[in-house]
Amino acid sequence: MHTRKGKLATAVVAAAAAGLLLAGCSGGGGGNETGGVTTIQFWHRTFTPVENAWYADIVKKFNAAQSEVKVVDTEVPADAWDQKMKAAQAAGKAPDIYTHSGSIQDAVNAGQLHELNGIVSDDALGQIIDSAKPVSAIGDKYYAYPLLLEPQTVLFWNKDMLSAAGVDAENGPKTWDDLFAACAKITPTLKSGQYCISPASDAVTFAWSTVGQQYNFSGHTALTDDWTAPNINDDGYKSLMANYKKLWDEGYMAKQALAAYVEGKDFGEQKVAFKVSGSWMMSEIGSDYKDLLTKTGIGAFPDATGSTDRTATTLGNFKWVVDAKSKNAKAAGAFLEWAIAGDPANLVPFFVDTQFTKVPVRQSVQEAVAASDEAADAPWSSVIVDDIAPTAIPEPTYPWDVSLAVGTAMESVMKGAASTDAAIKTAEDAIKKVIQQQDLPSKAPKN
Amino acid sequence: MQQMAMPTTEATILPPGRQARRRHRRFAYRDGNIAYLLIAPAVVLLGIFVIWPAVYAAFLSFQDWSFYKDPQFVGWRNYTNVLTDPLFWASIGRGFLFVLMTVPVMLVLAFLFASLVVAVSRRFAGLLKVSIYIPTIISTVIASIVFVLIYNYSGGLLNAFLGIFGIDPVAWIGDPAWALLAIAVPAIWLGMGLTSLIMVAGMVDIPGEYYEAAAMEGANWWQKTFFITIPQLKNIVLYLLITGFVAAIQQFELPLIMTQGGPLDSTTLPNLFIFNHFRNDINVGYSIAAALLLFVVLGTVSALVFRFVNSERLVD
């Protein structure tokens, strides 16, 4: 009996050891310190080829410029980002420093982000322009350093297609009525498979990309200021939904998206005369559809009435953050400061190669980019930086589920799956549930 | 069942002395140590990768946890949040609808295909079996991308084909009315291979004498099918029904890649619903509670299927 138990115990211990070994063999994860060199892990998403090249280059330059910190760079496909990051966080192996988009509120509440005060110099933090502060700081504490800001709703148009239909190709439509009038003229001139416009068309995209339009139409976003109730049952929201329904019903847009909102494939292949996307689409046109670059018009998204004086876009962002559990936060902070908060020359290639479609968050970088030789050949740069970005509103800080409820209502109305009143009622119920479950009034912005 | 029945049979036919010797002999050949040793790795690995995570998941389903702060006990809140969420119930209902759209069609097609395979020459049967199995070894991700291209609104194969007959393009994966069906088609295509081969194996196993006897009595194909083939395939069908049901209701990659659950949630199957929460929620309690509840639903339905379609040993 004794021997048998002994053998059994040996087998169990051996198998457990094998299991632990297997469990320990996971990729990625935090950095470490060996031989005086601190190794840190840096994850960033796959963007356009020129952006990916810039990321690889900046890491190489930093590693060459000093010998105390070694940055290991990992490019993660954008669609795998969320699950890869979640898995790493669950295993306690999140990278030391990584890119982050959207609002920081939830991540800060969850204790996910390391404070930058103390690991990035006050001087560098102080250079962040005011319009980027809502996405980088809460109160006087900084949690993220923005690399860029970019309008998320911009109207692009194919000048040749507009001209062919007798529509003003130099100035895009200023109001929704202008847009409808343009589409009425353009549609008869199109071939089979071509459409007047390619806007957002699914709930998820509506949720994040139309917050600016919601503000444009109604003067507010989806919650009351104190976050105690939904605020979407008004004429503004109803007429925004009705406008999308008209685009759908009149056949001005395809009944199934021809390409994702964030990409310019349908516009590049000249399947649409107008395309709604973020300002970043211009860099895709520049890299993948060079012939179209001079034929592409760009302007602010149409206004509800022409006299609201309100923007129709939010200002998206990409930031760098340091993980709260990083054991090498100082090294991560040093890398961050060197790469995006130090010499403006490090950042100029990024903004030039992305065709001036993004806004730098430091005055010194904005000036350096504007002074580059290539800037003179990119007339659209001023449209984005001077006309659209300054008035754009930040992305909402309320939970994603609130935005998604509105997005779902918009898609329902557009596709005729529900009446406007019924869709708004459903969205209100969903938002009330989020308010109650997540106790939103206690999390509402104080100012 | 067979092993348990043996001692009773032995007791009735063997004299008491021989019974004791036989029992002793059997005991002498039993090597408990080796048996434990052999199953130990599986038990330990199961313990580490299945049992412990399941227990830990059950523990976490009562907590609010964001990976960064210590879990906070919230009682049944995650469960009540899931159970009162109409989107969760809608996704479960959609899962059942998806099962209805895929499993019966797959079983009928596989049955017809298997009937064809057993009826043709050996060589042609081999060709048929290889052809039907090919989709099974194609990655679901690749199949999804191929079908997205087929369903493309402007320039897709299907709409181009319909265009020949003057039919306007259809938003196969953009219209809530079509989207779930559009996903069911690749699901059936991918699942047909294995289902058909199992069905073929089942049919080959049916003794030929039954058919010969039936032929002598003048039975036609329909009669042979209804009175011999189908009853003899009962266990095979039961197996395919259960595995088909579980695979269909857990379908995840097709809607994830083809539609991301849209339009208007019309393709958000239960696993995708849970996955989306896991991706988007800061706290993981909700997704874990939803996953455990789905486990309960799957277990209940499987038990019900077993209850109503009893598995019986075939009578030789």
Side-chain angles (χ1 to χ4, degrees):
Chain A
M1 276 308 271
H2 186 74
T3 328
R4 188 170 142 185
K5 271 191 180 165
K7 277 183 188 169
L8 190 64
T10 314
V12 168
V13 169
L20 285 175
L21 202 67
L22 278 171
C25 289
S26 59
N32 53 43
E33 198 164 338
T34 44
V37 179
T38 308
T39 303
I40 57 169
Q41 301 288 334
F42 173 46
W43 285 11
H44 62 88
R45 293 164 208 243
T46 301
F47 297 101
T48 54
V50 289
E51 286 169 89
N52 303 335
W54 178 83
Y55 272 96
D57 190 51
I58 201 75
V59 170
K60 217 163 112 186
K61 278 185 182 160
F62 176 75
N63 285 337
Q66 47 75 53
S67 55
E68 288 170 5
V69 180
K70 182 174 180 252
V71 179
V72 178
D73 170 36
T74 305
E75 183 186 313
V76 180
D79 52 359
W81 178 273
D82 289 329
Q83 50 266 43
K84 190 170 164 73
M85 182 57 83
K86 274 275 159 125
Q89 289 172 334
K93 288 174 173 293
D96 300 281
I97 175 167
Y98 46 91
T99 56
H100 186 277
S101 62
S103 156
I104 52 170
Q105 188 75 51
D106 281 351
V108 170
N109 288 345
Q112 189 183 327
L113 307 182
H114 198 290
E115 248 184 71
L116 295 187
N117 307 67
I119 58 169
V120 173
S121 72
D122 289 344
D123 176 44
L125 294 172
Q127 288 183 40
I128 297 174
I129 57 174
D130 286 347
S131 55
K133 278 186 180 152
V135 296
S136 43
I138 291 178
D140 53 359
K141 287 183 183 167
Y142 284 85
Y143 292 93
Y145 205 102
L147 169 65
L148 59 93
L149 297 174
E150 49 193 355
Q152 293 179 313
T153 312
V154 171
L155 187 69
F156 298 87
W157 59 88
N158 182 315
K159 291 181 181 174
D160 286 356
M161 289 168 85
L162 264 65
S163 298
V167 176
D168 180 2
E170 291 311 314
N171 303 295
K174 296 289 174 225
T175 65
W176 272 86
D177 285 341
D178 294 346
L179 178 66
F180 289 134
C183 279
K185 281 187 178 175
I186 292 168
T187 304
T189 67
L190 299 173
K191 290 185 218 137
S192 162
Q194 287 184 317
Y195 295 86
C196 176
I197 185 168
S198 169
S201 62
D202 62 275
V204 172
T205 311
F206 274 130
W208 64 267
S209 74
T210 66
V211 175
Q213 295 166 52
Q214 294 164 34
Y215 174 73
N216 176 255
F217 271 75
S218 63
H220 55 78
T221 50
L223 292 182
T224 54
D225 289 342
D226 54 5
W227 286 14
T228 53
N231 193 11
I232 57 172
N233 196 357
D234 60 26
D235 290 342
Y237 272 83
K238 286 178 185 172
S239 105
L240 175 63
M241 292 177 189
N243 280 359
Y244 273 97
K245 184 165 172 51
K246 185 169 179 184
L247 286 180
W248 179 268
D249 289 345
E250 298 287 336
Y252 294 154
M253 60 189 282
K255 295 285 188 281
Q256 181 174 305
L258 303 175
Y261 178 87
V262 293
E263 61 174 16
K265 190 163 170 273
D266 46 359
F267 186 80
E269 291 174 352
Q270 310 206 39
K271 285 184 176 176
V272 291
F274 291 105
K275 167 84 182 179
V276 190
S277 185
S279 62
W280 57 80
M281 198 191 88
M282 201 65 175
S283 63
E284 188 185 339
I285 300 299
S287 64
D288 295 356
Y289 306 98
K290 286 196 175 70
D291 296 349
L292 268 187
L293 204 53
T294 53
K295 296 179 191 169
T296 300
I298 178 170
F301 190 77
D303 185 73
T305 60
S307 58
T308 67
D309 290 331
R310 288 189 294 262
T311 180
T313 182
T314 40
L315 212 47
N317 63 83
F318 257 98
K319 309 172 293 290
W320 288 19
V321 297
V322 175
D323 193 76
K325 282 187 177 172
S326 169
K327 293 188 180 71
N328 299 302
K330 279 203 164 166
F335 168 55
L336 186 155
E337 183 156 357
W338 189 91
I340 62 171
D343 186 356
N346 282 336
L347 289 159
V348 171
F350 180 86
F351 291 98
V352 170
D353 293 345
T354 52
Q355 306 288 345
F356 307 91
T357 56
K358 303 167 196 304
V359 183
V361 300
R362 291 155 60 204
Q363 194 61 41
S364 55
V365 181
Q366 287 188 0
E367 286 163 7
V369 172
S372 67
D373 296 340
E374 296 88 341
D377 299 330
W380 58 84
S381 156
S382 65
V383 176
I384 294 167
V385 178
D386 302 332
D387 298 351
I388 302 175
T391 56
I393 55 169
E395 290 175 273
T397 53
Y398 47 68
W400 166 248
D401 286 345
V402 173
S403 299
L404 188 59
V406 179
T408 306
M410 290 183 69
E411 189 185 357
S412 304
V413 173
M414 182 181 82
K415 294 187 172 171
S419 69
T420 309
D421 288 337
I424 285 180
K425 168 82 173 55
T426 308
E428 280 185 321
D429 290 346
I431 293 172
K432 281 176 191 163
K433 202 162 181 313
V434 179
I435 291 173
Q436 179 251 321
Q437 284 180 356
Q438 301 192 27
D439 188 22
L440 292 193
S442 71
K443 297 175 183 167
K446 298 289 177 272
N447 46 354
Chain B
M1 283 302 284
Q2 203 174 12
Q3 280 173 352
M4 283 176 70
M6 265 185 73
T8 328
T9 325
E10 283 173 7
T12 54
I13 55 171
L14 295 176
R18 281 183 68 187
Q19 266 188 51
R21 272 205 305 281
R22 178 83 181 261
R23 214 174 288 139
H24 179 75
R25 224 170 39 235
R26 280 176 49 197
F27 183 74
Y29 287 119
R30 257 166 64 176
D31 195 332
N33 291 355
I34 293 289
Y36 285 125
L37 203 63
L38 290 175
I39 61 163
V43 169
V44 171
L45 290 176
L46 266 178
I48 293 172
F49 294 110
V50 178
I51 298 166
W52 170 240
V55 170
Y56 195 49
F59 164 75
L60 283 177
S61 67
F62 293 99
Q63 319 276 330
D64 239 354
W65 187 42
S66 70
F67 306 134
Y68 285 83
K69 290 179 176 171
D70 290 335
Q72 254 187 337
F73 182 74
V74 292
W76 290 94
R77 199 178 73 192
N78 288 325
Y79 285 95
T80 51
N81 283 352
V82 175
L83 291 171
T84 55
D85 188 345
L87 297 178
F88 173 75
W89 291 110
S91 77
I92 297 280
R94 208 170 292 123
F96 282 112
L97 183 62
F98 188 71
V99 169
L100 285 177
M101 285 168 121
T102 52
V103 178
V105 177
M106 208 148 68
L107 287 181
V108 170
L109 289 178
F111 182 83
L112 294 176
F113 179 83
S115 304
L116 178 69
V117 169
V118 293
V120 297
S121 73
R122 225 184 148 86
R123 197 176 231 178
F124 189 50
L127 184 73
L128 282 177
K129 281 190 275 188
V130 171
S131 333
I132 197 79
Y133 195 68
I134 285 174
T136 310
I137 53 171
I138 291 177
S139 134
T140 313
V141 176
I142 304 291
S144 305
I145 294 168
V146 169
F147 273 85
V148 166
L149 293 175
I150 292 173
Y151 292 141
N152 202 325
Y153 189 67
S154 166
L157 265 180
L158 190 54
N159 279 339
F161 176 73
L162 293 177
I164 297 172
F165 304 100
I167 300 172
D168 285 338
V170 176
W172 298 107
I173 48 175
D175 183 343
W178 288 108
L180 197 60
L181 184 69
I183 282 177
V185 171
I188 294 169
W189 184 72
L190 286 166
M192 266 286 287
L194 199 60
T195 312
S196 302
L197 289 197
I198 292 173
M199 205 78 103
V200 168
M203 280 191 192
V204 169
D205 259 2
I206 302 173
E209 293 85 346
Y210 293 177
Y211 294 103
E212 286 163 18
M216 283 166 71
E217 300 288 338
N220 60 23
W221 184 85
W222 290 105
Q223 286 166 324
K224 285 182 200 165
T225 300
F226 280 104
F227 296 112
I228 301 172
T229 315
I230 292 177
Q232 290 290 315
L233 282 180
K234 190 175 168 188
N235 284 347
I236 299 278
V237 171
L238 177 68
Y239 168 77
L240 291 175
L241 207 60
I242 297 281
T243 52
F245 164 76
V246 173
I249 206 166
Q250 299 213 66
Q251 180 54 257
F252 160 72
E253 296 103 318
L254 288 171
L256 175 73
I257 295 163
M258 293 177 68
T259 58
Q260 294 84 48
L264 287 172
D265 284 340
S266 61
T267 56
T268 305
L269 297 176
N271 268 354
L272 184 59
F273 174 82
I274 294 167
F275 178 75
N276 283 342
H277 267 281
F278 174 71
R279 268 203 309 196
N280 298 328
D281 295 1
I282 286 280
N283 293 313
V284 291
Y286 182 99
S287 7
I288 295 177
L292 291 175
L293 286 170
L294 178 65
F295 171 74
V296 172
V297 171
L298 288 184
T300 311
V301 174
S302 300
L304 283 176
V305 174
F306 273 116
R307 174 79 183 77
F308 289 112
V309 190
N310 284 322
S311 166
E312 286 166 12
R313 286 193 61 228
L314 293 175
V315 183
D316 288 337

